[in-house]
Amino acid sequence: MIYSRVVGTGSYLPDRVVTNRALEEIVDTNDEWIVTRTGIRERHFAADNQNASDLAVEACKRAMQAVHVHPGEIDLIIVATSTPDMVFPSTACILQDKLGIKHSVAFDIQAVCAGFVYALATADKFIRSGSAKCALIVGAEVFSRILNWQDRGTCVLFGDGAGAVVLKASNVPGVLTTHLHTDGSYRDVLCTPGTVENGTIRGSPLLTMDGGAVYKFAVKAFEDVAWEALNANGMQPAEIDWFICHQANRRIIMHAAKKLDLPDEKVVLTVDRHGNTSAASIPLALDTTVREGKIKAGDNVLLAALGGGFAWGAALLKW
Ligand code: UT7
């Protein structure tokens, strides 16, 4: 039996740090509101010459260095992004070239903030079927490029960054199960509707969100999808060692954790340091926890994410 295992992690945040106080200078907001409502203290914004693929390159190099994997071993690259470098080719193609990888399949996945879990689930199936042996799974975003600075309800929430994992074939289970869901009837609740048409942009190219509606849906979805993953593996919440939820809002994460009866020390929170980085948030949080030496061999790690669409999902990993 072939399984897939995460063997290395890496992440990258661009140099420019934007604190809540800095946002007070340009938006009618304040540090106290942002911290209490979301848990966010600062976010990072990419430099003008940095695209999603540039952030992804750094995250991938760190993940590959962590396990001494060289570019020639990579046979699959999946990039989850909603802020690609260009309309086409895919950011994964651009990343492949920038990493000097010659013989891999490379494509993007678009599931917004659930993108990393979707990419991981897809790569797991490639590896289990024998179609790939060593994959780079990446979440990379430059949401600073699509923020509406006239909308204080959204522009203070997001940041840029990238996270990556190396996923390898193994005869020992790593990715235990993955669970994906989509309900497109909510597509207008969180979206960036603009598109390119005949050389101009049709519709708004900026992010819009009904935050309250997302909040309400998210807490229930996280609870349900976590139970789905637990039930599929015959586990109880007490057997989860680490809960790594999409880092959008501290209150949503803690609410979901409380519903699952998970103690605070098992809940990973990095949203204070980078805000909502969409598809990059889970691999950023995962890499931070790994590099802090917290996740030990044999630990059960539950990933859960939700984003525009709505698209949501979970992955249960044995470390
Ligand atoms: O990544 C995809 C998933 N996305 C999410 O998970 C986001 C989900 N939603 C949320 O995280 C929350 O709904 C928000 C953080 C977006 C908003 O929090 P909230 O507690 O739902 O606040 P609200 O939208 O109900 O706004 C409450 C008040 C309003 O004032 P009034 O009408 O009560 O006087 C807003 O105008 O807060 C005001 N407000 C702000 N005040 C200062 C909204 N944005 C700001 C701001 N600074 N940036």
Side-chain angles (χ1 to χ4, degrees):
M1 185 85 176
I2 311 173
Y3 302 94
S4 75
R5 275 190 90 76
V6 173
V7 294
T9 65
S11 61
Y12 173 77
L13 290 167
D15 291 341
R16 186 178 162 208
V17 178
V18 181
T19 62
N20 293 346
R21 293 253 182 254
L23 289 184
E24 287 178 9
E25 305 293 317
I26 50 169
V27 180
D28 178 16
T29 190
N30 56 79
D31 177 59
E32 200 260 331
W33 189 95
I34 302 174
V35 173
T36 357
R37 300 284 177 137
T38 71
I40 299 166
R41 292 185 183 277
E42 58 188 33
R43 71 287 294 139
H44 294 241
F45 283 174
D48 290 347
N49 62 353
Q50 279 181 310
N51 288 324
S53 67
D54 299 303
L55 311 191
V57 164
E58 298 307 320
C60 288
K61 282 183 179 167
R62 291 173 189 185
M64 290 163 75
Q65 275 160 10
V67 278
H68 308 294
V69 161
H70 62 86
E73 287 177 69
I74 303 293
D75 54 11
L76 172 67
I77 301 173
I78 308 182
V79 175
T81 186
S82 304
T83 46
D85 288 20
M86 54 185 72
V87 174
F88 69 82
S90 69
T91 301
C93 283
I94 300 166
L95 175 66
Q96 185 206 43
D97 183 48
K98 287 182 177 173
L99 287 172
I101 294 171
K102 294 287 177 210
H103 303 291
S104 76
V105 175
F107 58 89
D108 287 0
I109 274 190
Q110 160 55 293
V112 205
C113 304
F116 182 79
V117 171
Y118 268 61
L120 186 69
T122 306
D124 176 55
K125 290 173 200 331
F126 265 79
I127 288 180
R128 280 177 192 256
S129 69
S131 304
K133 287 191 169 56
C134 186
L136 272 174
I137 314 304
V138 193
E141 301 282 17
V142 283
F143 261 56
S144 61
R145 307 269 159 84
I146 56 167
L147 296 179
N148 178 358
W149 292 102
Q150 308 308 315
D151 177 11
R152 65 177 183 167
T154 56
C155 67
V156 303
L157 305 176
F158 295 89
D160 303 339
V165 302
V166 177
L167 193 72
K168 267 193 162 180
S170 162
N171 47 20
V172 184
V175 176
L176 299 177
T177 54
T178 57
H179 309 268
L180 303 182
H181 296 277
T182 313
D183 186 342
S185 67
Y186 290 93
R187 67 189 188 280
D188 295 332
V189 173
L190 170 52
C191 60
T192 298
T195 189
V196 177
E197 189 175 283
N198 298 325
T200 54
I201 298 166
R202 178 167 57 86
S204 169
L206 304 177
L207 182 151
T208 85
M209 174 170 74
D210 176 347
V214 180
Y215 194 116
K216 206 170 139 204
F217 191 94
V219 284
K220 178 87 174 73
F222 285 139
E223 185 191 357
D224 289 350
V225 82
W227 272 112
E228 189 182 334
L230 289 166
N231 289 337
N233 291 280
M235 282 189 200
Q236 289 300 313
E239 292 168 81
I240 297 300
D241 297 291
W242 300 102
F243 180 48
I244 307 185
C245 201
H246 169 45
Q247 304 287 309
N249 184 318
R250 182 180 192 281
R251 283 158 61 215
I252 297 179
I253 298 168
M254 296 317 291
H255 196 130
K258 197 167 167 222
K259 289 265 184 193
L260 295 164
D261 229 358
L262 293 175
D264 291 1
E265 57 273 19
K266 290 186 173 183
V267 181
V268 173
L269 281 172
T270 56
V271 68
D272 56 320
R273 290 167 250 176
H274 51 66
N276 184 344
T277 55
S278 191
S281 95
I282 286 186
L284 268 163
L286 178 64
D287 183 49
T288 303
T289 317
V290 166
R291 283 171 197 266
E292 285 171 352
K294 292 180 174 167
I295 305 184
K296 303 275 185 278
D299 280 358
N300 294 317
V301 181
L302 178 62
L303 312 181
L306 175 130
F310 290 131
W312 68 103
L316 189 50
L317 317 182
K318 175 70 77 181
W319 207 256

